[in-house]
Amino acid sequence: MAEAAEDMDYKRDSNGLHNNSVSDISLNTHPFRYTLYTTFWDRIVFYIMAVTVAPIRLALIFSCFALTSLAARIAVFGLPLEPDTPLAGWRLIFRDLTVRLALLTGYAGGFFIQRVKGKQVSSKEAPILVMAPHTSSIEILAGSLCGLPGVVSSIDNGRMPVIGAIFRACQSIFVERGDPDSRNKAVAKIKKRAATKGAWPQIIILPEGFCSNGKSLLPFKTGAFLPGVSVQPITVKYNNRRLDVTSWVDTGPGLISMWSLLLCTPITRIEVMLHPVYHPSDEEKENPELFAKNVRDLMSRYLELPTTELTYRNLKAIVQQNKPRVTFLNLWWSIISKGCVDIPSREALS
């Protein structure tokens, strides 16, 4: 289906791409609803994994992540937070080691099937990678499958003791959250890197901006499209959607609860699809909102997902009105006692 979509003729007009995907959201595709329905055998597997494999996986994840951070620290040893030139020489060896160890961390967490389809172009052809849907913290693994490109992140993340070195080894672009001109500065840095014609590695951006359950595409923020340069769309699928153990939505399980589900799942599959480069028209270069909308419409066709205009404000309103409490204990008690988790309620979203 995705391959067939790439052969379709997409025509632009002043309103964006002609997208035939469904824009109205049904209850089953609501982006802020978390559901987990388990069978009797699913629960038996969870219980067995919890007392046998999960503790071993957790230890392996911490070990692999520590090695990843160490390799990244060596790669950026002696460099300022944001150097003026890309990594070179022996530093690239340790950067590549950082990527391999990040992938090994994924295997330790149960991501035994990691597939990449399509071809990743060079930063010369597409300085920016745009990835969707954004469903959880696991997208860092998807980024590792693309060579662990840099991100646009808060400068505070670059200074963190463990993961800061990884951000820096990816040659990320850092911004000051308190600086009102931070967006313009980030755009200027991306344009400056793009002008070097491939000397710098790519930047990866998740344009939805926050997590959903991945059942529909949220509006794309314009940050990735403000520079007006070519982008390569990347779509991500987790092939265990019958049991959603990856979504990290504010209405659903927290980060620790989500990872407990992952650790107790025998095999989690991740598929990364690299699509053809999207070259913006002159109109799109002048209108980042149009650029963002057209790319989102295209990616919704690749994924065969509907689009929605629900925003973070809508998500916060749902959380405030329904006040779902999905703590670690609540999650597992719901699985044990009822065999399912379904929040917010159907009535709250209807």
Side-chain angles (χ1 to χ4, degrees), residues 169-191:
C170 298
Q171 299 172 88
S172 299
I173 291 176
F174 296 111
V175 294
E176 292 274 8
R177 291 198 182 277
D179 184 357
D181 199 37
S182 60
R183 171 181 283 197
N184 292 332
K185 289 178 180 178
V187 170
K189 289 177 182 179
I190 293 175
K191 286 183 174 180

Side-chain angles (χ1 to χ4, degrees), residues 234-300:
I234 301 176
T235 54
V236 183
K237 291 182 179 180
Y238 301 100
N239 297 325
N240 55 345
R241 297 306 295 180
R242 186 182 68 81
L243 289 177
D244 186 358
V245 297
T246 56
S247 294
W248 181 25
V249 193
D250 281 5
T251 55
L255 186 61
I256 294 177
S257 300
M258 186 207 73
W259 272 100
S260 71
L261 289 171
L262 273 171
L263 294 175
C264 294
T265 302
I267 297 176
T268 304
R269 302 169 178 84
I270 182 172
E271 180 179 289
V272 174
M273 177 76 77
L274 298 153
H275 300 284
V277 176
Y278 189 102
H279 301 286
S281 65
D282 291 338
E283 183 181 7
E284 289 169 322
K285 290 178 182 178
E286 296 297 323
N287 187 345
E289 288 82 9
L290 176 63
F291 189 4
K293 179 183 182 302
N294 287 348
V295 173
R296 182 180 72 144
D297 289 346
L298 184 62
M299 294 178 75
S300 77

